[in-house]
Amino acid sequence: MEEIDLKEEYRQLRDEVRVGSIADHDLPITKFFEIYSALAAENGDTPDLEYCPVLGGDSRKYRVDGFAFDFAESEGSQTAELYLIVCDFSQDRELPTINAKHVDISVSQGLRFLQNALSEGFIDQLEESSPAYQLSAMLRQYFARVTRIRLVIFSNSHLRTKKKVFESKSFNDLPVHVNVIDIERYARIALTGSEPVEIDFEEDFGGAIDCLAPSTCSENYTSYLFAISGNVLAKVFASFGNRLLEQNVRTYLQARTKVNKGILRTISEEPQMFFAYNNGVTATASHVRTMKSEGGDLRIANIHDFQIVNGGQTTASLLYARDSLNLDLSDVFVQVKLSVVEETEIDLVVPRISEYANTQNKVSLADLASNSSAQIQIQRLSQEILPPVKGGELYTKKWFYERSRGQYKSMFSYKTASEKRKLELEYPRDQLITKTDLAKYEFSFDGLPHIVSTGAQKCFLKYTDSLSSKAATNSDLNKVWYKRAVAKAIIFKAMDSAVQQSSWYQEDRGYKAQIVTYAIAASADGFRRAGHQIDLDSIWERQEVSSGLLEWMLKVAEEVARIIKNPPADVRNISEYAKKAHCWESGISGRVGIPGEQIIERYGKSLTEYVEEHVDSQKEKRLHSEIDFEVELTKLIPRAQEIRKAIEAAGAASPKNISAISKLAAGNPNLNRGEKNALKYALERINVL
């Protein structure tokens, strides 16, 4: 892995925090938490987090900066993992360092607040509007369901310790797992999009694992088979959590995690039969270090970039059985099929293994991948369609669509200072759209602010349903769709900034994310009720929101803020209330955001005209797509036999696509519509198109 200049990364992060905090009129630590929490959620260290700054105490200081309850269904009830975040944020000019002692201090501060929050009388001393009161109330409400505490330290210092796995602690008989994201981990995740999990069985998990001799299937692929103790697998999952799950699986399971009753029953009643009854775990890695035992048996000592692509429920259930049900795992063994793939091939091969190993999932895991058909189409549109020059500017500023984390940042790697400045002018950071941002913009405009309020990862999970259906038609993701999607981004960014700077928000801060998404949803919904849409095409052409429209939407936002901040009497937590459909349907929709005739006339477009323009673009793209495919068919003729073998090996063969391949093998590219469609689907399955 490439060497990272940590001093430069620290400086860049410090500048990003400073500029962001000034622009948003926020404290630097608020911006720091925002940056780290987004990165932690995407990497699997945490679910989507709530910002909740709590700081107090005299001689016995306590601190919490954010939290999340990650609920799972088990035995007819909901249990939860509690995530508590403590920020160790430095504004020193030079890169600071921390050690294990600093980590222990932060952990103690987080647990001290938890102890206070659950004690009698503490909450009565707090202001009801304070973050400390809000969090204390939630802890008192849900703590009985908590089975595990994960305490995560966000630090922009460099952690100097050899420890990769911190020792678990205990709080009220619950296990406490400690995790640290320091500047080095932050930089690696930000640059590459994820951080490899390295499991050192010798150092951290009781010794190397016996395995069968490896099977080398090709130059780039080797497989290992072994049985792992239930205790060891549970300990590994306790240490690394959802980071073990391949990203598509993790995204899918985040909102649907369930502990399997059948697995628990086997552990409880017939633990010695677990190996026979359970399908085991399918996993991948980029490197394995083996060793020989004294008797000459092969053992796995270390696995680099370990990812579980099938067996997430099995793994999670083992940990639940050990920690929550106090079941003995000493007789439980799990079979593991480990595929070791060359690092250069892992991004391509692992999503395929994940897809084929998880065919039972209702949502195709391939639809969640950064290299899915939909994501590739959107990125291609962003590269092909240049925005107009904004009024008063001399050159085009391009929009950058980041379908996988790290793409935008890596664009600046190994560039000179002058090259970086040129790129920053061409692709400004405020015109970066990530795939989770896109879900937020689209769902806000479509009247689904309660889903946006659940957090970036869960919102994106829901969005993949509609996105995959658009990609399937091969015409919905067209130029008009893309331009309107960018216009929605322009609206969202403008509203976010306007709300932040408004006097009414500065007087009573808080819940900005909820206010913005609900205000945009209410405004768009109001136009639709009048038979119109906000004229997104005009916003694309101007590359900005008209001042009159923004002024009207800001008034809508002020009214939305008043409603959200004064919820029904039975609501104890506003953030949780905003996640409910009831908040939108009964509290906001149809009550605010109703435009007058002048607003509609100036900034609206009739629904009929709006839809017709999209349909015309669909037809144009469909025609171009068919022409492109005809051209591709002629290129495939020399590879026809090779492609046939690949289709058959992938289990994608059908009478129609085999007929199509036979024609191509004979030099005949004239296929009927059924043959074309069948072949196109098969080619997408084997990643040829």
Side-chain angles (χ1 to χ4, degrees):
M1 186 173 288
E2 64 188 76
E3 194 66 28
I4 294 177
D5 185 343
L6 294 182
K7 291 182 179 179
E8 176 62 16
E9 291 292 336
Y10 176 79
R11 185 193 66 77
Q12 289 183 14
L13 177 62
R14 186 189 63 203
D15 291 347
E16 184 180 351
V17 167
R18 184 173 66 245
V19 171
S21 64
I22 292 171
D24 291 345
H25 301 275
D26 260 331
L27 294 173
I29 194 166
T30 303
K31 194 66 181 177
F32 170 74
F33 178 88
E34 178 185 316
I35 293 169
Y36 264 55
S37 61
L39 178 130
E42 190 159 338
N43 193 52
D45 287 273
T46 68
D48 291 309
L49 298 168
E50 295 278 354
Y51 181 53
C52 186
V54 174
L55 182 64
D58 296 321
S59 59
R60 291 175 57 78
K61 291 184 179 179
Y62 58 79
R63 176 174 196 141
V64 168
D65 292 270
F67 73 96
F69 287 92
D70 194 17
F71 289 101
E73 294 180 15
S74 59
E75 296 294 341
S77 64
Q78 276 195 327
T79 59
E81 287 193 342
L82 170 63
Y83 286 78
L84 293 177
I85 312 302
V86 177
C87 288
D88 175 36
F89 175 62
S90 171
Q91 299 189 68
D92 293 350
R93 291 193 60 82
E94 301 299 324
L95 172 63
T97 60
I98 57 174
N99 55 31
K101 184 177 180 180
H102 290 88
V103 173
D104 288 339
I105 291 172
S106 294
V107 170
S108 296
Q109 289 177 346
L111 293 180
R112 197 169 291 134
F113 171 75
L114 182 58
Q115 185 71 59
N116 288 339
L118 298 174
S119 64
E120 292 300 324
F122 178 76
I123 194 171
D124 299 329
Q125 305 168 26
L126 305 172
E127 289 288 335
E128 287 196 21
S129 60
S130 69
Y133 182 93
Q134 295 282 325
L135 180 52
S136 295
M138 287 195 71
L139 287 168
R140 295 173 73 87
Q141 180 179 358
Y142 295 120
F143 193 74
R145 301 184 190 178
V146 172
T147 59
R148 186 172 298 100
I149 300 166
R150 293 192 184 274
L151 211 152
V152 186
I153 314 300
F154 289 170
S155 176
N156 60 340
S157 300
H158 185 203
L159 176 61
R160 294 290 185 88
T161 176
K162 292 182 178 180
K163 286 186 177 180
K164 288 188 173 64
V165 177
F166 288 88
E167 290 297 324
S168 296
K169 299 179 182 294
S170 179
F171 178 88
N172 287 11
D173 295 327
L174 292 177
V176 179
H177 304 292
V178 178
N179 183 9
V180 180
I181 301 180
D182 71 333
I183 188 66
E184 182 175 9
R185 286 194 63 204
Y186 162 81
R188 293 198 185 283
I189 300 167
L191 184 64
T192 64
S194 62
E195 179 192 25
V197 171
E198 184 167 349
I199 299 179
D200 194 327
F201 289 109
E202 278 193 296
E203 183 72 22
D204 301 315
F205 298 102
I209 305 291
D210 290 332
C211 67
L212 297 178
S215 171
T216 303
C217 306
S218 72
E219 289 183 4
N220 300 325
Y221 169 76
T222 303
S223 66
Y224 291 84
L225 291 175
F226 58 92
I228 189 171
S229 157
N231 277 319
V232 172
L233 187 55
K235 186 177 179 182
V236 169
F237 192 63
S239 300
F240 294 100
N242 286 341
R243 286 180 59 208
L244 287 181
L245 303 181
E246 194 270 328
Q247 188 176 33
N248 295 347
V249 180
R250 179 171 70 240
T251 305
Y252 180 81
L253 290 178
Q254 186 170 4
R256 308 168 185 234
T257 305
K258 294 185 179 181
V259 175
N260 190 291
K261 294 180 183 179
I263 292 175
L264 296 179
R265 190 179 305 113
T266 302
I267 296 171
S268 175
E269 299 174 4
E270 299 181 275
Q272 70 282 358
M273 296 301 293
F274 192 91
F275 188 89
Y277 294 164
N278 187 264
N279 289 331
V281 168
T282 301
T284 62
S286 62
H287 179 72
V288 167
R289 179 169 63 83
T290 60
M291 58 182 291
K292 290 287 184 73
S293 69
E294 292 182 1
D297 295 327
L298 188 66
R299 290 181 171 178
I300 294 178
N302 180 286
I303 301 177
H304 182 75
D305 204 356
F306 184 74
Q307 297 181 61
I308 293 173
V309 299
N310 187 277
Q313 279 193 6
T314 294
T315 309
S317 297
L318 285 168
L319 185 58
Y320 178 83
R322 188 194 73 175
D323 289 352
S324 301
L325 303 181
N326 295 317
L327 295 179
D328 184 6
L329 303 182
S330 57
D331 290 333
V332 173
F333 287 86
V334 182
Q335 57 184 322
V336 179
K337 180 178 77 173
L338 179 67
S339 299
V340 181
V341 183
E342 286 288 336
E343 205 156 354
T344 55
E345 300 287 320
I346 203 160
D347 288 338
L348 176 66
V349 175
V350 171
R352 289 193 199 171
I353 296 174
S354 174
E355 179 185 4
Y356 301 149
N358 288 278
T359 53
Q360 76 276 11
N361 286 329
K362 182 179 177 183
V363 177
S364 170
L365 296 176
D367 292 337
L368 307 180
S370 299
N371 59 351
S372 70
S373 173
Q375 293 297 327
I376 291 171
Q377 286 185 57
I378 297 169
Q379 187 177 51
R380 182 178 175 184
L381 287 168
S382 73
Q383 293 166 344
E384 292 176 349
I385 301 174
L386 293 180
V389 177
K390 187 176 177 180
E393 295 182 346
L394 300 177
Y395 58 91
T396 296
K397 292 182 178 179
K398 299 177 183 177
W399 290 86
F400 189 98
Y401 183 71
E402 187 179 63
R403 61 183 172 89
S404 61
R405 179 176 286 278
Q407 284 182 318
Y408 181 78
K409 190 168 185 177
S410 65
M411 181 172 61
F412 297 89
S413 299
Y414 308 112
K415 300 291 192 300
T416 64
S418 61
E419 288 172 334
K420 285 182 180 179
R421 283 194 296 271
K422 183 179 177 182
L423 279 172
E424 286 167 353
L425 291 173
E426 187 177 5
Y427 295 98
R429 189 171 188 85
D430 62 358
Q431 291 192 192
L432 165 67
I433 299 176
T434 68
K435 64 179 187 288
T436 52
D437 284 339
L438 180 62
K440 181 171 63 176
Y441 304 151
E442 289 262 81
F443 272 3
S444 295
F445 196 83
D446 291 347
L448 298 168
H450 50 290
I451 294 178
V452 176
S453 298
T454 62
Q457 299 299 313
K458 290 181 180 178
C459 177
F460 177 65
L461 171 65
K462 293 282 188 182
Y463 183 58
T464 55
D465 289 332
S466 61
L467 197 59
S468 58
S469 64
K470 284 184 173 72
T473 66
N474 203 33
S475 58
D476 276 350
L477 296 178
N478 53 48
K479 291 182 180 179
V480 169
W481 174 87
Y482 172 75
K483 291 176 180 179
R484 289 173 176 175
V486 171
K488 293 170 188 176
I490 294 171
I491 290 175
F492 198 101
K493 289 170 181 282
M495 278 291 289
D496 190 82
S497 177
V499 168
Q500 178 70 47
Q501 296 176 38
S502 66
S503 57
W504 54 264
Y505 180 78
Q506 291 297 321
E507 289 171 4
D508 183 17
R509 298 166 65 87
Y511 309 107
K512 177 166 68 76
Q514 293 86 349
I515 292 168
V516 171
T517 183
Y518 270 88
I520 291 172
S523 301
D525 180 58
F527 269 80
R528 285 192 291 269
R529 288 171 182 267
H532 287 69
Q533 288 276 26
I534 294 175
D535 189 354
L536 298 172
D537 303 316
S538 174
I539 293 172
W540 163 265
E541 291 300 327
R542 293 167 57 92
Q543 288 293 292
E544 64 181 357
V545 184
S546 299
S547 58
L549 177 61
L550 186 60
E551 184 179 340
W552 173 76
M553 292 181 73
L554 190 57
K555 290 178 181 177
V556 174
E558 185 175 6
E559 184 65 13
V560 164
R562 185 189 64 78
I563 294 171
I564 285 180
K565 292 182 178 182
N566 293 277
D570 60 335
V571 173
R572 298 289 299 272
N573 186 277
I574 292 174
S575 295
E576 290 301 309
Y577 177 58
K579 298 174 184 178
K580 310 297 183 185
H582 176 75
C583 179
W584 165 246
E585 293 165 357
S586 301
I588 306 293
S589 179
R591 294 182 59 186
V592 296
I594 308 300
E597 289 185 10
Q598 282 191 337
I599 295 293
I600 292 174
E601 185 177 339
R602 290 178 183 175
Y603 309 114
K605 177 176 283 191
S606 74
L607 282 171
T608 303
E609 185 181 358
Y610 187 88
V611 172
E612 283 177 352
E613 290 176 358
H614 181 68
V615 170
D616 289 342
S617 185
Q618 283 179 312
K619 292 177 180 177
E620 180 187 353
K621 182 176 180 183
R622 196 176 294 119
L623 176 62
H624 286 303
S625 178
E626 288 176 1
I627 293 171
D628 289 345
F629 188 59
E630 295 283 357
V631 173
E632 288 298 320
L633 284 178
T634 60
K635 297 178 182 178
L636 296 177
I637 288 174
R639 300 173 55 199
Q641 294 302 335
E642 169 198 340
I643 290 171
R644 176 171 182 159
K645 290 179 182 178
I647 290 173
E648 290 173 341
S654 72
K656 285 185 178 179
N657 63 41
I658 293 301
S659 173
I661 286 289
S662 298
K663 284 186 178 181
L664 291 181
N668 176 15
N670 299 315
L671 311 181
N672 62 42
R673 182 172 294 276
E675 290 170 336
K676 285 180 184 177
N677 289 337
L679 181 58
K680 187 181 293 186
Y681 173 77
L683 293 174
E684 287 174 350
R685 282 284 301 273
I686 63 173
N687 210 34
V688 169
L689 286 184

